[in-house]
Amino acid sequence: MRAAALLCLLASGPLACARPFAPPGGERDVSAPRLLTTVPEPLTVVDALSRPAVFRFDERISEQGFSEALVSVSPLDSTLRVDRSGAEVRVSIDGGWRPNRVYRVVLLPGVRDLFGNQRSDPVELIFSTGAPIGNTALAGMVLDRLTAAPAMNGVVDAVHRTEGARYTAIADSSGFYSLRYLPVGEYDVRAYDDRNRNRRRDTLEPVDSGHTAVFVGQTDTVALVFNVLTPDTTAPRIVSASSLDSLHIQIEVDDYFDPADALDGVGAEVHVLPDSTSIATHSRILTRAAFTAEQQARRQAAEAARVAADTAGAAADTGAVRVPPPPDPAQPNAGAAALPIREFVVRLNRPLPPGSYTITISGVVNLHALVGGGVAPFQVSAPPDTPAPAPPGSQPVPPDPQPVPDPPATADRPAAHGG
């Protein structure tokens, strides 16, 4: 033990005998690494650098879980290089930092010390190699188009139209992203869900592109909300039809569409089987939510009318009972953002008798603006309260006899008693 202690005292460097655990009797380290300094200093303008940008912490950084995936650089002009050494993280790109650029280097959450204490917040370093550093900002949300939930691995790219520099922001777990200190100019902006986390958009990853951000002054701010969606090149197709009643047919599509405007051009025609004679067309196309709200409104109105009729006599001295109007069934949630759907309801121009039919749908527009439709069979059943027809030659079954009440008692006829 004495020899080991003497070797530690003679060893050079303050970290020669560092151990990845607290000394006996000492307090346990429960704090994540704390940033002390950066090189260069934040928001400084320096000459074109060939040396790395450095993040220096107050304790050694663990190799466990550390990789280039924890570092984001934009614009990224060439291959990224990341080196961890002691309490420092050094970031560089092949060929050095280019002149006349505003660089944004971010250490994402995940940097940890030797005791496993992990940073939950990112560390950002902004510096310039000649270009002026303004106070611009591009910020917003990256959401899933189908669910409106935050994209799991949202990435936003903004490409300067003149210089071609690509600036990148990685959204947090709430879907929020921000790109600050962008040089003035026009940018082509897109967002995608980087599901394999390789920092580039692959073919089948959900994307929302075609946006523009323009910064005229050094303090401009642009807000953009992205709704990423998996690409699709096929038109929507009808997969099933089912009757809700003799007048309404529910249709299911294999693709999502926007209920706000995708149903305007939908057409429907019903043919009776087996001879495929046209028997009905649509009079209105409804979302399933609008149909449900309409049915509910009708039930509420009928119930309100019944209550009003029952209480009309009692309320005669105070005037007529006022029945509130039902809600507009076409706008069941007018204040809420409509999510994409795959079902709608066709209201026919005439009720259908029980039987077998097909319905032909056209003009359905999916989220990718592709138009489709199709044909699906369905059945219309007899209403539950309709008696089944008697077999030919049979006699209808008479109803069960009802008990006859005893006649009322009179002076010459005593009341009947059981037993």
Side-chain angles (χ1 to χ4, degrees), residues 95-118:
W97 309 101
R98 307 297 190 264
N100 298 315
R101 289 276 198 269
V102 176
Y103 282 100
R104 179 175 183 258
V105 185
V106 181
L107 291 185
L108 300 171
V111 176
R112 65 181 66 179
D113 62 16
L114 299 178
F115 303 96
N117 301 310
Q118 180 174 299

Side-chain angles (χ1 to χ4, degrees), residues 269-322:
E269 186 174 4
V270 174
H271 299 82
V272 64
L273 294 177
D275 58 359
S276 298
T277 302
S278 177
I279 191 174
T281 60
H282 70 283
S283 65
R284 189 179 178 190
I285 307 295
L286 304 165
T287 65
R288 182 57 196 258
F291 171 77
T292 302
E294 183 181 82
Q295 298 297 100
Q296 182 179 1
R298 287 178 176 174
R299 288 193 296 267
Q300 291 174 347
E303 178 64 16
R306 186 189 66 78
V307 172
D310 291 344
T311 58
D317 57 337
T318 59
V321 176
R322 179 181 180 274

Side-chain angles (χ1 to χ4, degrees), residues 210-233:
H211 298 268
T212 301
V214 180
F215 299 97
V216 178
Q218 296 285 350
T219 59
D220 287 354
T221 298
V222 175
L224 286 177
V225 176
F226 297 93
N227 295 279
V228 297
L229 181 67
T230 303
D232 188 6
T233 58

Side-chain angles (χ1 to χ4, degrees), residues 49 70 158 195 199 215 309:
L49 293 175
L70 291 177
R195 291 179 172 176
R199 303 289 174 83
F215 299 97

